[in-house]
Amino acid sequence: MVSWSDLCSDALGHIIGFLSLPDLQSFSAVCRNWRWVAKQNNCSPAEQLPWLMMKEDASTKKRKFYSLTEKRHYYIDIPELHNQCWIGSSFGWLFIVDGKFIPRLFNPFTRECYKLPLLPKFEEDMLQERLVKAVLSHDPSKKSDFTVLFLYRINLTKMAVWRPGENRWRCIPCMDHVADAIFFRGNFYLACSSDLFLISDVGSNPTMKLVMPLLLSGIEYLVDFMGELLLVERHLTNLGEWPHHFHVVTKRFAVHKLNLEEKTSSECKDFGDYAIFLGTSCPLVVNSQLFPGCKRNSIYFTDLGIKLYPEVYGCDDIGVYDFPRDAIEPYYPSEIFHPFAEPPIWLTPNINKL
């Protein structure tokens, strides 16, 4: 009789293609042979729904994650994230910075890490406020020739790029207000003030070129939606009275499809079976049919941290926007308080290696 541990690697690799992250971890713990198969790059796990990464547990110092699919928390010990600031994620990689202004790209599930050149120094107590966004051109797990675009603020918004093998950041002149950045169809694009720009010649002499005008009226996100570029506007409202109870939360979203060739935009109200995940991380688009409980034609969002009284409200602007009903619903228990200093972010488990 053949033992389960003796199943051929091809069969085991096929099984892995249907497993979520928790199931894959259990799979790899069965025996040495199964773990070896799970570690092979040619055995790709199933597409993963983004997890919500939250603050450390005060008693255990373990990082807390929330699985939308299972509606449960996971606590994972990740020492590399202790005393680190982060500004979101891209392809499942976190962009983290320590108190010495040393930035890193870090995959919390595989512990892979890229040490990046030093950042310009500014007030340490304002580190979180100065970091704006980091965007990857490609997944470093799959392509070694990738580019990091980093946005930060020192008086005005500044922009820099880095590629593996370089020992410093290359700065790019940009506009005062950069709403968002994205890598789309082989180029970086920026939503700046009232225009969309393309960054050309990233590898040698990065420069900005005007693509088309934009009409911006909220918090903006650039989203790669199945090969089409969307501009998503997040409209806010204040639930309190100025200046004593300034409590800003999301009211609704508006979505525009950008036609780069014709330099036009049109309103979009239907994502079909897809859902978009927005926050400080790079936007994510998933097929809701692959994940039980994931709402179709919706936008899942996390807090922006726009509050004058964070000790009172914390990061409570968390929900899912239902487009057909123009309504916002909770997806996470509202009674759980999120510290303002560590706003929850979306992180897609990147587990090409274990």
Side-chain angles (χ1 to χ4, degrees):
M1 182 177 179
V2 178
S3 170
W4 281 101
S5 61
D6 295 328
L7 284 176
C8 69
S9 58
D10 288 343
L12 293 173
H14 182 71
I15 293 172
I16 286 176
F18 297 92
L19 301 182
S20 64
L21 175 59
D23 291 337
L24 182 60
Q25 295 292 338
S26 299
F27 176 98
S28 64
V30 170
C31 64
R32 183 178 300 176
N33 181 42
W34 286 33
R35 179 166 179 80
W36 179 86
V37 173
K39 293 176 66 175
Q40 302 309 300
N41 289 334
N42 60 337
C43 294
S44 299
E47 183 179 350
Q48 306 291 313
L49 192 67
W51 283 24
L52 200 62
M53 188 178 88
M54 293 175 282
K55 65 181 181 69
E56 291 181 345
D57 181 77
S59 58
T60 65
K61 298 299 182 181
K62 292 184 178 181
R63 183 64 55 180
K64 183 163 67 172
F65 294 85
Y66 183 71
S67 168
L68 286 174
T69 303
E70 301 174 277
K71 292 182 171 54
R72 60 164 292 186
H73 292 99
Y74 286 92
Y75 295 85
I76 304 176
D77 186 19
I78 310 177
E80 295 90 341
L81 294 183
H82 295 340
N83 301 317
Q84 301 286 316
C85 290
W86 65 74
I87 53 171
S89 68
S90 183
F91 295 105
W93 290 75
L94 290 170
F95 188 88
I96 59 178
V97 183
D98 64 17
K100 297 181 180 179
F101 304 93
I102 299 176
R104 294 178 177 85
L105 281 176
F106 178 66
N107 186 329
F109 295 101
T110 65
R111 307 300 171 90
E112 295 173 275
C113 183
Y114 284 87
K115 186 176 179 180
L116 308 179
L118 281 173
L119 298 175
K121 292 190 176 182
F122 33 76
E123 302 89 340
E124 185 174 348
D125 60 345
M126 298 184 69
L127 184 60
Q128 190 78 45
E129 298 178 29
R130 300 296 190 184
L131 306 177
V132 179
K133 188 164 190 173
V135 181
L136 285 171
S137 64
H138 302 87
D139 181 356
S141 304
K142 299 179 179 179
K143 186 174 182 179
S144 58
D145 183 22
F146 62 91
T147 302
V148 182
L149 174 69
F150 174 50
L151 301 175
Y152 61 100
R153 290 192 185 97
I154 301 180
N155 296 324
L156 302 177
T157 302
K158 297 182 181 295
M159 179 169 52
V161 294
W162 175 85
R163 304 174 77 177
E166 298 178 343
N167 57 13
R168 63 181 180 86
W169 294 92
R170 283 177 289 122
C171 295
I172 306 173
C174 63
M175 308 294 291
D176 178 17
H177 174 66
V178 179
D180 199 17
I182 190 174
F183 188 78
F184 178 73
R185 294 182 184 174
N187 292 291
F188 285 103
Y189 287 85
L190 300 174
C192 300
S193 299
S194 58
D195 297 296
L196 180 70
F197 287 88
L198 176 150
I199 304 176
S200 62
D201 301 323
V202 172
S204 55
N205 183 32
T207 55
M208 293 178 60
K209 293 184 177 180
L210 177 64
V211 177
M212 61 181 289
L214 299 174
L215 297 176
L216 307 181
S217 60
I219 306 297
E220 293 81 24
Y221 304 89
L222 293 172
V223 180
D224 183 350
F225 184 79
M226 315 302 293
E228 295 184 309
L229 186 59
L230 302 182
L231 176 68
V232 180
E233 293 181 313
R234 181 173 179 172
H235 296 279
L236 309 176
T237 186
N238 181 21
L239 298 182
E241 296 180 1
W242 177 268
H244 303 293
H245 298 287
F246 191 58
H247 185 197
V248 174
V249 296
T250 299
K251 182 179 181 180
R252 63 183 302 273
F253 288 87
V255 181
H256 306 275
K257 184 184 299 184
L258 303 182
N259 188 319
L260 303 184
E261 289 73 27
E262 298 182 4
K263 305 185 187 306
T264 59
S265 65
S266 57
E267 189 175 9
C268 176
K269 288 189 175 182
D270 191 351
F271 301 151
D273 290 325
Y274 291 88
I276 296 177
F277 289 74
L278 299 178
T280 56
S281 301
C282 292
L284 301 163
V285 177
V286 302
N287 187 340
S288 64
Q289 290 190 322
L290 300 178
F291 306 102
C294 182
K295 293 182 177 295
R296 66 184 300 275
N297 207 7
S298 298
I299 295 178
Y300 287 79
F301 60 92
T302 62
D303 198 281
L304 290 171
I306 305 177
K307 293 178 176 65
L308 292 185
Y309 298 92
E311 69 280 1
V312 176
Y313 303 115
C315 296
D316 64 342
D317 189 17
I318 297 175
V320 53
Y321 178 72
D322 187 315
F323 249 103
R325 298 192 300 111
D326 189 27
I328 293 176
E329 301 174 350
Y331 61 78
Y332 188 79
S334 58
E335 66 274 11
I336 298 180
F337 183 84
H338 301 286
F340 181 77
E342 297 186 68
I345 66 170
W346 295 116
L347 180 68
T348 301
N350 186 332
I351 46 179
N352 289 300
K353 297 179 182 178
L354 281 176

